[in-house]
Amino acid sequence: MSRARGANAKAFGVFEATPGTVPAAGPAWFGCPFVSHTLGEERPLIMSDLLGQGREMQDPTPDVATNDGDMVVPVDVRNFGHWLKLYFGAPVSTPGAGGEEVHTFTSGAQTLPSMSIEVGAPEVPAYSQHYGLRGNQLKIGMARTGLLNATCSLVGIGETPIAGVSAAGGATPSLAVARFPQATGSVSKDGAALGSVVSADFTYSNALEKVETIKADGRIEDSDPGMVSMTGSVVVRYKDLTLYNAASTSTPCELDFGWVTGPHGLLFKVPRVFLPAVKRPVSGPNGIQATYNWQASGAGSNSVIATLTNDVAGY
């Protein structure tokens, strides 16, 4: 037996037919490339308040169980479609040019899928399944260089006891990982490239509400989607009045965030964005920058449309 190492950690996922029920082993399970995770069931202890027993503290009482955490995953051509499905629901997939498939995910679905994710340390061996997971927040940051990752904040029902054998037997291996490069990122306003963007980020949220009913196992019953929100920031070098004019008149605009690699692409279209009026501070002799913390609206349409173009038939 050797010590567990992150380099050898394995993760597999599967969409649940019944929320909170781990599906049986088989090809429905798929490999989940990941960078890091903080999933895991926790059950804190409540300190005793009993008096009359002397000065020594009495036994604590177990509290309710929680399994909330983040999974950081690469924003890649193929596997990232599973995460988009978790947050937006199943896409509409249509044939694209050159034999590619175009998968369109839209915000605002009334019901969302849930997943089971198994994380294992094969050296021990030790495997457990985090079940009833739903997508709460999806965060992506854009920069001129570096690796493009997404932080998936998840709310789960629970975790199975650790076992020495994987429950994802016969799983489909992860699709070939081809990361979208940060260097190919672009930001557009109303269909035209937005110049002098230093950095950008956005957060899509399903505002999950935990269903905290009384149960013998101390776990939540499930989590329900709340109001969709899409927020973010754009940091620009101050060289023109493109964003200033939109902010000062409170006129909604469209912002698009995208990446390409070869024939493949990923685009987050936010059709109705409101920009706040902001300061343009001068802190020294170098360039002047302005940070616009924007908010999206879904009035009259979807607040977010994510389009993934790749060579995968469907999700």
Side-chain angles (χ1 to χ4, degrees):
M1 181 183 298
S2 61
R3 297 179 181 88
R5 297 178 62 85
N8 299 322
K10 304 293 184 183
F12 293 93
V14 65
F15 287 97
E16 299 171 341
T18 301
T21 300
V22 180
W29 288 81
F30 49 84
C32 289
F34 73 105
V35 176
S36 64
H37 86 87
T38 59
L39 295 173
E41 185 170 275
E42 296 180 303
R43 192 181 290 267
L45 299 173
I46 302 175
M47 184 179 294
S48 173
D49 62 356
L50 191 62
L51 303 178
Q53 308 299 311
R55 293 185 58 242
E56 296 294 345
M57 179 58 68
Q58 302 302 297
D59 292 347
T61 300
D63 202 358
V64 296
T66 59
N67 190 358
D68 305 342
D70 294 344
M71 199 158 190
V72 179
V73 301
V75 180
D76 77 319
V77 169
R78 302 175 180 89
N79 297 281
F80 194 62
H82 296 304
W83 295 103
L84 291 174
K85 179 179 176 179
L86 180 67
Y87 280 86
F88 293 93
V92 175
S93 300
T94 57
E100 299 295 298
E101 290 288 331
V102 180
H103 311 284
T104 303
F105 302 82
T106 53
S107 61
Q110 293 300 308
T111 59
L112 295 172
S114 63
M115 284 180 71
S116 290
I117 296 178
E118 177 184 271
V119 180
E123 303 96 337
V124 177
Y127 300 88
S128 66
Q129 297 78 48
H130 307 272
Y131 56 88
L133 294 170
R134 295 189 187 273
N136 191 25
Q137 290 187 336
L138 177 67
K139 306 175 185 178
I140 299 179
M142 301 182 72
R144 183 172 179 270
T145 184
L147 295 173
L148 182 60
N149 294 323
T151 300
C152 301
S153 297
L154 308 171
V155 174
I157 294 176
E159 179 183 5
T160 63
I162 292 176
V165 179
S166 170
T172 302
S174 63
L175 301 170
V177 178
R179 258 188 165 119
F180 286 107
Q182 283 275 30
T184 67
S186 64
V187 181
S188 298
K189 175 185 176 292
D190 295 326
L194 187 62
S196 298
V197 177
V198 176
S199 64
D201 64 75
F202 57 84
T203 300
Y204 175 79
S205 175
N206 282 315
L208 293 181
E209 178 187 21
K210 294 182 180 179
V211 183
E212 298 185 288
T213 53
I214 298 173
K215 296 174 58 187
D217 62 7
R219 298 183 174 96
I220 63 172
E221 182 176 328
D222 202 347
S223 55
D224 295 335
M227 294 288 288
V228 166
S229 68
M230 181 71 159
T231 59
S233 68
V234 177
V235 181
V236 296
R237 282 294 183 105
Y238 186 47
K239 75 165 190 174
D240 57 38
L241 301 178
T242 301
L243 295 182
Y244 173 83
N245 289 336
S248 60
T249 60
S250 297
T251 303
C253 63
E254 177 184 298
L255 291 181
D256 298 340
F257 306 89
W259 304 264
V260 295
T261 178
H264 310 308
L266 174 61
L267 180 70
F268 285 87
K269 183 182 293 292
V270 192
R272 190 174 176 82
V273 170
F274 288 85
L275 299 165
V278 300
K279 297 179 180 180
R280 299 171 302 285
V282 178
S283 57
N286 295 325
I288 300 173
Q289 296 184 170
T291 300
Y292 291 87
N293 295 311
W294 52 266
Q295 297 181 31
S297 168
S301 65
N302 302 104
S303 57
V304 187
I305 302 169
T307 304
L308 178 63
T309 303
N310 59 21
D311 53 9
V312 178
Y315 294 93

